[in-house]
Amino acid sequence: MQKYLGPAVVATRGRPIIFHVSNRLPNKHILPVDPTMMVGPNNMMVKDLPVNRIVTHLHGGHTPWISDGTPFQWFTPEGQTGVSFMNVPNTTPGAGTATYYFPNDQGARLAWYHDHAIGLTRLNAYAGIASAYVMTDGFENTLYTSGLLPDPVGIPLIVQDKTFVGADIYGQDPSWQWGKPGSLWYPHDYEVPPVPSFGPLPVWNNTFGDGRWDYGPVSVPPMLKAPRPMPVPASVVPEGFFDTTVINGAPYPYVNVPAQRVRFRILNASQARFYHLNFYFESTSTPGEADLSNPLNATNNKTIQIATEGGFLTQPVVLPNGTPLPIIDPYPVSSANSVGPFNLLLAPAERADIIVDFRNLSGSNIIMYNDAVAPFPMGDARNEYFLGDLDMTPFGGAPPTVAGFGPDTRNLMKIVVGPGGDVIPTESVLTQLQTALSNAYNSGEQPPLLYHGADGATPGPIPYTGKVNRRLTLNEDFDEWGRLIQRIGRTKTQRTNNQGLPTFALPYLAATTETPKAGATEVWEIYNLTGDTHPIHFHLVNVQVIQRAPFVLTPPATFTPDLLNARGPDPNETGWKETVRMNPGEVTTVIAQFNLPSTPFVVPTSPRTGGYEYVWHCHILEHEEHDMMRPLVVF
């Protein structure tokens, strides 16, 4: 029997497990595999590796490197393995199976596991090789037994966007060959621009094409050298945005809840789409649609965020609801203000643990609604689908959405409220949570903040003017095929790119530059030189967001933060994170301690890097793979 998404796992703090994963994939992928992505030394490409390779990464776990699931730890059903593959010592799982040691030594949180194989991460995760991994602990259980949490685990919501192959696929996409109607669809042609210029309505210059992705030969300035011919298939695309939202694998789902406080644990597991979430009452005139004039807080029903992917916050945060995405330009331009204010903004891989108060709402229907632009923050109307959208068929997009039908990326889920009730008032719960979460950072339930004020739950003063250990950069260039490519680099690695412009980018396979010592505490500044907000994910460690600030780049390579305009983390980022949004034109400062997990066995060093091998990368999956990822090797 085939299922979409793997089984959800519930683990307990202090109880390590051996996690067995068997690879039973056929030697043919269900999605278009681009043969040209660079995946190894000596110009090795995707076409040189077996197509049914996988590796499991526990995203958010504190794991020994041999069980971290990094890109070169892949294995196949036949027993072929990547250069960094290792099983847990003293286990003999046999060919086609890998063993992982998960210490589960962290506090309560929603983690998740997904595929991380080199060159196939974006396709394998999109195909469903992923699921939830819930960690529980005694502190969380105490909150539940005292009535402050409505449920010890909550309702996990894995939110993704997909496109499905239609019955008329060969009329829409004549060269499609990877699945029958109802199967998952993924881009396989690189859509050559120029990108449109927007006025009151979109206008395209079709001299080269009507595509939506930057292309080196028609960029400004153009590539200096003619690109290689575009491969077939060309599924190495800048971002994947799709037209149908699925939650826990179901399109346009609904959930029945009692008229009391309900706990949702939300994971953005999309490829590239951000979600800006609010809760609204369902429209009485258009069923299935949110009534944007009637937010949940209109009845004084609060939504409270208590945790992120790094565990409990230092304080619960009341989300106002009814807060639309802050827009700089009107639709169809739809550029967002990346600074906020936001209600609940989730980039790919970010999580939010929230309590929604449905008391006294029995018989009501509530819509979980998204109005984030795609890409974020500079949107393209061809990536948004909702009732009232424009006809994008002349410009390579979709026709208008019809009432009562999809596609729709805004009305995500209906919540049907039944009978029920809570004894403890929400205001009392909020007051008690404020004390409990703050105390957790000073009692050892949560590690105290590394950069703190009066106590371990109070962030340090802004602007931060202390020592910075590493200065890193986020960059965009074009690859040899003229495709847009994203990369990480350092402020010290300036060179000239293939447009003749300065860049600071390094390929994933370049020599390792982030090499902290085990146990060391480091402060990193990460400068975003691109037009996208990048959700940067750190393996091994949780980080504390210290501040964000504008910066000035003075040629040739002097980076100066504007500390007078520095701001601290958003209220619902005050705590621990492992996926951090980094906005265009800003430098994000984070701090982390690179502690290795304890294990009942000796962990060997990596034969590939000579240390304990991890990575850090953008979690827009198409960016991560091409090529916004760098080694993180602890010595």
Side-chain angles (χ1 to χ4, degrees), residues 218-400:
V218 297
S219 63
V220 180
M223 289 175 62
L224 301 177
K225 183 180 178 181
R228 295 185 180 186
M230 199 65 73
V232 179
S235 64
V236 174
V237 297
E239 292 126 348
F241 297 111
F242 304 94
D243 60 11
T244 303
T245 303
V246 298
I247 298 181
N248 297 348
Y252 313 123
Y254 71 92
V255 59
N256 293 302
V257 301
Q260 60 191 51
R261 287 182 295 275
V262 175
R263 184 182 186 186
F264 293 112
R265 306 177 92 151
I266 307 173
L267 158 65
N268 180 354
S270 287
Q271 307 289 109
R273 189 177 293 277
F274 286 53
Y275 294 95
H276 182 247
L277 302 178
N278 283 273
F279 292 92
Y280 295 95
F281 286 91
E282 184 181 28
S283 170
T284 56
S285 60
T286 313
E289 299 282 332
D291 180 353
L292 302 185
S293 67
N294 195 8
L296 184 61
N297 67 336
T299 53
N300 202 32
N301 289 80
K302 287 184 169 56
T303 300
I304 303 168
Q305 184 170 348
I306 57 174
T308 68
E309 65 276 359
F312 287 109
L313 294 165
T314 61
Q315 290 282 305
V317 175
V318 176
L319 304 175
N321 272 321
T323 301
L325 184 75
I327 293 294
I328 297 172
D329 299 306
Y331 181 79
V333 178
S334 299
S335 293
N337 184 342
S338 58
V339 174
F342 304 117
N343 190 63
L344 177 56
L345 179 64
L346 293 177
E350 284 193 297
R351 281 91 79 197
D353 193 339
I354 63 174
I355 299 170
V356 185
D357 182 5
F358 297 112
R359 293 178 308 148
N360 306 315
L361 296 180
S362 181
S364 299
N365 292 336
I366 311 296
I367 301 294
M368 188 168 78
Y369 184 81
N370 163 55
D371 62 356
V373 297
F376 193 91
M378 298 175 65
D380 183 330
R382 289 169 294 185
N383 299 323
E384 294 185 66
Y385 307 90
F386 57 95
L387 185 61
D389 58 8
L390 296 174
D391 184 0
M392 289 289 160
T393 52
F395 317 115

Side-chain angles (χ1 to χ4, degrees), residues 536-555:
I536 298 298
H537 168 49
F538 302 84
H539 287 220
L540 175 65
V541 295
N542 286 176
V543 304
Q544 176 193 347
V545 180
I546 294 178
Q547 66 185 20
R548 295 182 177 96
F551 68 90
V552 175
L553 173 55
T554 305

Side-chain angles (χ1 to χ4, degrees), residues 4-5 30-31 112 114 121-130 158-166 182-187 240-252 268-273 275 383 385 406-409 412 621-622:
Y4 180 79
L5 297 178
I30 64 171
L31 296 170
W112 61 305
H114 61 80
T121 299
R122 74 199 188 287
L123 300 179
N124 286 351
Y126 183 74
I129 305 180
I158 302 176
V159 186
Q160 301 167 296
D161 58 330
K162 307 288 180 184
T163 290
F164 299 95
V165 176
S183 302
L184 288 172
W185 181 90
Y186 192 88
F241 297 111
F242 304 94
D243 60 11
T244 303
T245 303
V246 298
I247 298 181
N248 297 348
Y252 313 123
N268 180 354
S270 287
Q271 307 289 109
R273 189 177 293 277
Y275 294 95
N383 299 323
Y385 307 90
D408 190 347
T409 53
L412 305 188
L621 292 182
E622 287 81 13

